[in-house]
Amino acid sequence: MRQRFTPRDRTAGWRIMKRRHFLALGSAALAAAQDKSAAPLKAVVIGHTGRGDYGHGLDRIFSNRPGIELVALADADEAGRKKMAEALKVPRQYADYREMLEKEKPALVSVAMRQADQHRDIILAALKAGAHVYAEKPVTRSPAESDELIAAAEAGKLRVGVAHTMRQTKFIRRLRDAVKQEGLIGDLVEMRAYGKQDARAGGEDLMVLGSHLMDLLRMFAGDPLWCSARVLSGGKDITRADARRVKDDVGPVAGDEVFAQYAFPNGVNATFTSANRLRETTGHWGIELHGSKGVARINCDIDPNVFLRRTTAWTKAGRADTWAPFDPDAVKAPEVHKEDPVTDWLSAIRENREPECSLRNGAWAVEMVCAVYASALNGSRAGFPLKERKHPLEG
């Protein structure tokens, strides 16, 4: 029997996930590494309250961090701009982020709005201004946009962090070590990812929440080889005419049901499913990792986030499955470095390395999503890297 969770579990999990980015932690580690004799690093925030909030706390990632001074905020919405400037106690505010970048010349930029339709232009402008960037996910809408940003970041030797923060949590990283290094579930054979499958089921779920899952699939199995997918809208296979835009503009989406298969190295296969009518039977959005000796389940919106399945043999009475919370302290692998995603990004800047939640990882998640549409529209496998770098729904 599948482990079920109560509404109380869901509520508690939602509170935890709202804080899942740990954006205000780790200041002590940063303070220890910061040269106290140096001038504070200038930081700015870019958002657009006229189109919704600033994303999952990305307006506050510079708060209470020694060695960093938040000097300005850009927001095209006047009322929202004033309100946010007061809340953040920021000295200067701008309607145009381009003017802010030119005048303030920041070292650090938070691209905080949820809508990805502006991400490419804003991040590119920040990189050209010589700033390191931390951005809300999805980082772009297409592989073509990702390619531009990667090239600009590499040219300027700048670091871009992307808020696919689940890979940075203790439970997920210790599970990765247990699966890869300790043989917790034997040989990894198959991964089954399920979207949230709520009112956004299908194409919107695929990009908004599914991009987190794509990032985790790669974390456990490496870079995918190909994707084969079917996307339905009203029970029919989609065409480009089914493309639509959604409130959190993440680029074109299509379909109300998605089923995708990914092939990974070493014979590992994975699936992604998003269909509203499956929500009650698949449970919480997350990933099941099936190995030769056991199964682990990542639940993305409850605490604890990981469960292990212990299965008894089949009998005439059926089969009893027992799920137990994963104990990360039982893993023999070294203790996970305790840095939240933003602190890790700041450390990566100092250490001249890629952050754990990197632009390249974020770009891969976008490409895996676009591969679903490429396969569904063409009726064939889509190999990686995708040959066509534009979004498949845009033709």
Side-chain angles (χ1 to χ4, degrees):
M1 180 180 295
R2 184 179 299 277
Q3 177 79 27
R4 305 300 295 172
F5 302 94
T6 66
R8 184 177 179 180
D9 293 326
R10 294 175 187 267
T11 301
W14 172 242
R15 287 197 214 95
I16 290 165
M17 288 306 294
K18 284 187 74 174
R19 299 177 61 85
R20 67 183 179 272
H21 298 287
F22 311 107
L23 297 179
L25 301 180
S27 58
L30 179 61
Q34 180 74 34
D35 181 358
K36 295 181 180 179
S37 66
L41 295 174
K42 294 174 66 175
V44 300
V45 173
I46 302 174
H48 198 324
T49 48
R51 303 177 66 189
D53 62 34
Y54 275 20
H56 301 88
L58 267 70
D59 53 315
R60 300 181 183 274
I61 66 172
F62 301 123
S63 300
N64 302 314
R65 290 185 180 272
I68 296 177
E69 180 185 7
L70 180 60
V71 297
L73 162 76
D75 187 330
D77 182 76
E78 182 178 5
R81 181 172 67 250
K82 291 180 178 179
K83 182 178 180 180
M84 290 301 299
E86 181 178 349
L88 295 176
K89 296 180 173 58
V90 62
R92 291 179 292 281
Q93 49 185 289
Y94 297 82
D96 190 330
Y97 69 86
R98 300 171 189 85
E99 180 185 2
M100 181 182 69
L101 292 173
E102 181 180 354
K103 289 185 177 181
E104 301 292 345
K105 296 179 171 52
L108 306 171
V109 175
S110 172
V111 178
M113 73 279 292
R114 292 173 180 267
Q115 295 84 5
D117 62 319
Q118 296 184 46
H119 283 183
R120 178 263 180 197
D121 292 346
I122 294 174
I123 297 172
L124 191 59
L127 293 172
K128 289 182 176 180
H132 303 278
V133 177
Y134 191 87
E136 177 63 301
K137 60 81 193 171
V139 65
T140 63
R141 299 170 297 175
S142 70
E145 292 185 347
S146 297
D147 294 342
E148 284 188 272
L149 298 187
I150 290 172
E154 290 180 348
K157 297 182 180 179
L158 298 166
R159 301 301 174 187
V160 180
V162 179
H164 283 298
T165 56
M166 290 182 188
R167 64 162 49 228
Q168 193 75 355
T169 64
K170 178 179 180 179
F171 275 98
I172 302 300
R173 296 184 71 181
R174 293 301 284 269
L175 177 64
R176 176 198 62 188
D177 292 343
V179 170
K180 289 189 172 184
Q181 301 175 20
E182 302 298 327
L184 179 70
I185 59 174
D187 295 331
L188 179 63
V189 178
E190 182 180 342
M191 299 179 289
R192 302 172 186 172
Y194 299 99
K196 200 162 190 177
Q197 304 182 125
D198 53 11
R200 297 167 290 184
E204 185 175 1
D205 192 16
L206 172 65
M207 180 63 100
V208 175
L209 297 165
S211 61
H212 278 298
L213 302 179
M214 303 305 172
D215 187 48
L216 293 182
L217 293 178
R218 283 187 60 249
M219 182 179 183
F220 281 93
D223 295 343
L225 304 174
W226 52 260
C227 171
S228 179
R230 189 181 192 193
V231 181
L232 301 176
S233 179
K236 297 180 180 180
D237 291 298
I238 63 163
T239 67
R240 288 191 177 90
D242 293 302
R244 67 184 191 278
R245 301 282 176 169
V246 294
K247 179 182 177 181
D248 286 349
D249 194 337
V250 292
V253 302
D256 49 32
E257 294 190 9
V258 173
F259 178 80
Q261 178 186 3
Y262 295 92
F264 288 88
N266 302 314
V268 177
N269 295 298
T271 57
F272 171 84
T273 303
S274 178
N276 183 263
R277 53 183 174 166
L278 286 176
R279 186 178 187 186
E280 292 304 313
T281 54
T282 58
H284 290 265
W285 71 289
I287 303 174
E288 286 185 2
L289 292 89
H290 289 249
S292 57
K293 296 181 180 179
V295 180
R297 171 84 188 211
I298 298 171
N299 293 298
C300 293
D301 58 353
I302 64 171
D303 182 48
N305 298 124
V306 178
F307 288 78
L308 300 178
R309 189 184 79 184
R310 308 299 183 189
T311 305
T312 61
W314 282 93
T315 68
K316 292 182 179 180
R319 190 183 78 171
D321 289 342
T322 301
W323 291 85
F326 170 62
D327 180 5
D329 295 324
V331 180
K332 297 178 183 178
E335 178 66 26
V336 172
H337 190 44
K338 295 181 179 178
E339 282 196 342
D340 68 272
V342 174
T343 301
D344 178 71
W345 167 63
L346 295 169
S347 297
I349 294 168
R350 291 194 307 270
E351 297 163 7
N352 194 29
R353 62 169 174 83
E354 284 293 291
E356 180 70 22
C357 301
S358 68
L359 171 59
R360 196 169 296 277
N361 285 335
W364 258 111
V366 171
E367 186 150 349
M368 290 176 70
V369 168
C370 286
V372 171
Y373 292 119
S375 173
L377 291 169
N378 295 327
S380 60
R381 288 181 180 176
F384 294 105
L386 294 177
K387 293 181 180 179
E388 176 54 63
R389 308 302 287 171
K390 295 188 298 183
H391 196 295
L393 287 172
E394 292 181 333

